[in-house]
Amino acid sequence: MTELGVLIVDDEPLARARLARQLEGLQRCTLLGEAADAEAALVQVEVLDPDLVLMDIEMPGDSGLVLAEKLSAREHPPAMIFCTAHDEFALPAFATAATGYLLKPVAREQLAAAIDKLQRLSKPQRRVAATGKVGESPRPQIKAVSRRGVELLPVDTIRCLIADSKYVVAHHDGGETILDESLKDLEREFGDTFVRVHRNALVSRHFIAGLSRDSGGYRVMLSGSEQRPQVSRRLLPTIRELVEELGR
């Protein structure tokens, strides 16, 4: 089973400390960070890219239910387990795509069972997230408008696609080209060619040369390019499998 990176969100320091202690006794779980409210949690999710968020429901500011809705709207949302003292929120909690609902004080056995269930489901979910939906007839070229006019960029020359603010930058044989299309739409159409390695990056399967590791984590090496897109913790098992398959 794959190790999960966990973020704890609760406005009570003692509740956060208790969950942290419970996690220490569980294998294949790493505590990435903590947040005391929904606003701080959104920042932490952006920075840490956790696989799982353990969250309370009643907190100052946005509730855990509102936070869950915001997380669910992300392109690649983390799994969510509610840890609360209120059983009356169970129905609306599961309406937010939560994978678990535990009542405080959370017992280690309950937490372990909920996480074990999540880990058994996580691998196929990551695979779907990484490959996306394949379009019926993807274009052989992508149109890009620049100061030079309209360019037709051959898809088979693109090493990777990196989301940068409002745009997506295609790194290819001739350099870099800004595309006026979202990474999600490109993934949906060209899922046979590109695989997602991070929330902001797709790489061409045809140019993957291996994985490297630095202080920031794992990166994909691409032949013919100096770009080394970072691999998110959530997608690393899928990318490792792909690299092994390509090396056979």
Side-chain angles (χ1 to χ4, degrees):
M1 296 182 184
T2 304
E3 183 171 305
L4 295 178
V6 183
L7 173 67
I8 295 174
V9 184
D10 198 306
D11 63 308
E12 299 179 2
L14 290 178
R16 295 199 304 271
R18 178 183 173 84
L19 280 175
R21 288 196 302 272
Q22 303 287 47
L23 284 173
E24 288 178 358
L26 301 181
Q27 295 181 351
R28 303 178 302 276
C29 289
T30 300
L31 178 59
L32 300 181
E34 300 179 8
D37 54 46
E39 183 178 2
L42 290 173
V43 174
Q44 292 281 56
V45 168
E46 190 68 27
V47 173
L48 301 174
D49 191 24
D51 302 294
L52 169 63
V53 178
L54 301 176
M55 69 177 78
D56 193 9
I57 289 183
E58 291 197 325
M59 299 183 292
D62 286 343
S63 70
L65 295 175
V66 174
L67 172 61
E69 290 176 356
K70 292 180 178 180
L71 293 179
S72 296
R74 293 173 61 88
E75 192 169 356
H76 291 286
M80 295 171 283
I81 295 177
F82 285 104
C83 302
T84 177
H86 306 277
D87 58 2
E88 67 268 24
F89 293 116
L91 189 58
F94 282 110
T96 67
T99 55
Y101 191 94
L102 305 176
L103 291 177
K104 295 179 178 178
V106 177
R108 180 173 296 173
E109 293 76 14
Q110 294 174 310
L111 183 60
I115 290 178
D116 181 63
K117 178 181 178 181
L118 170 63
Q119 288 173 317
R120 284 187 275 113
L121 293 174
S122 63
K123 186 173 181 179
Q125 289 172 339
R126 279 196 302 271
R127 193 181 305 260
V128 171
T131 56
K133 296 181 180 179
V134 180
E136 294 182 359
S137 54
R139 295 164 285 168
Q141 298 172 315
I142 299 176
K143 182 175 70 174
V145 180
S146 68
R147 289 176 295 178
R148 296 186 294 271
V150 178
E151 299 180 45
L152 293 177
L153 181 62
V155 173
D156 60 7
T157 68
I158 300 174
R159 267 63 173 177
C160 60
L161 298 161
I162 308 294
D164 183 12
S165 186
K166 298 180 181 179
Y167 304 100
V168 171
V169 179
H171 297 267
H172 52 87
D173 287 347
E176 301 177 3
T177 300
I178 295 176
L179 306 179
D180 191 20
E181 301 187 44
S182 73
L183 204 64
K184 186 174 183 178
D185 287 343
L186 291 167
E187 180 184 21
R188 183 178 298 113
E189 181 175 358
F190 300 104
D192 269 345
T193 301
F194 297 95
V195 58
R196 183 174 289 274
V197 298
H198 196 273
R199 64 176 179 275
N200 68 349
L202 302 175
V203 301
S204 172
R205 300 168 188 266
H206 306 303
F207 292 102
I208 293 177
L211 284 172
S212 63
R213 189 174 186 179
D214 59 23
S215 59
Y218 284 89
R219 295 181 179 275
V220 179
M221 296 184 293
L222 299 172
S223 60
S225 175
E226 295 182 356
Q227 291 295 316
R228 296 289 187 268
Q230 186 173 4
V231 181
S232 75
R233 184 188 300 270
R234 187 183 312 131
L235 296 174
L236 180 58
T238 300
I239 304 306
R240 273 178 168 160
E241 288 182 9
L242 177 60
V243 171
E244 291 177 2
E245 290 175 6
L246 293 173
R248 291 170 187 165

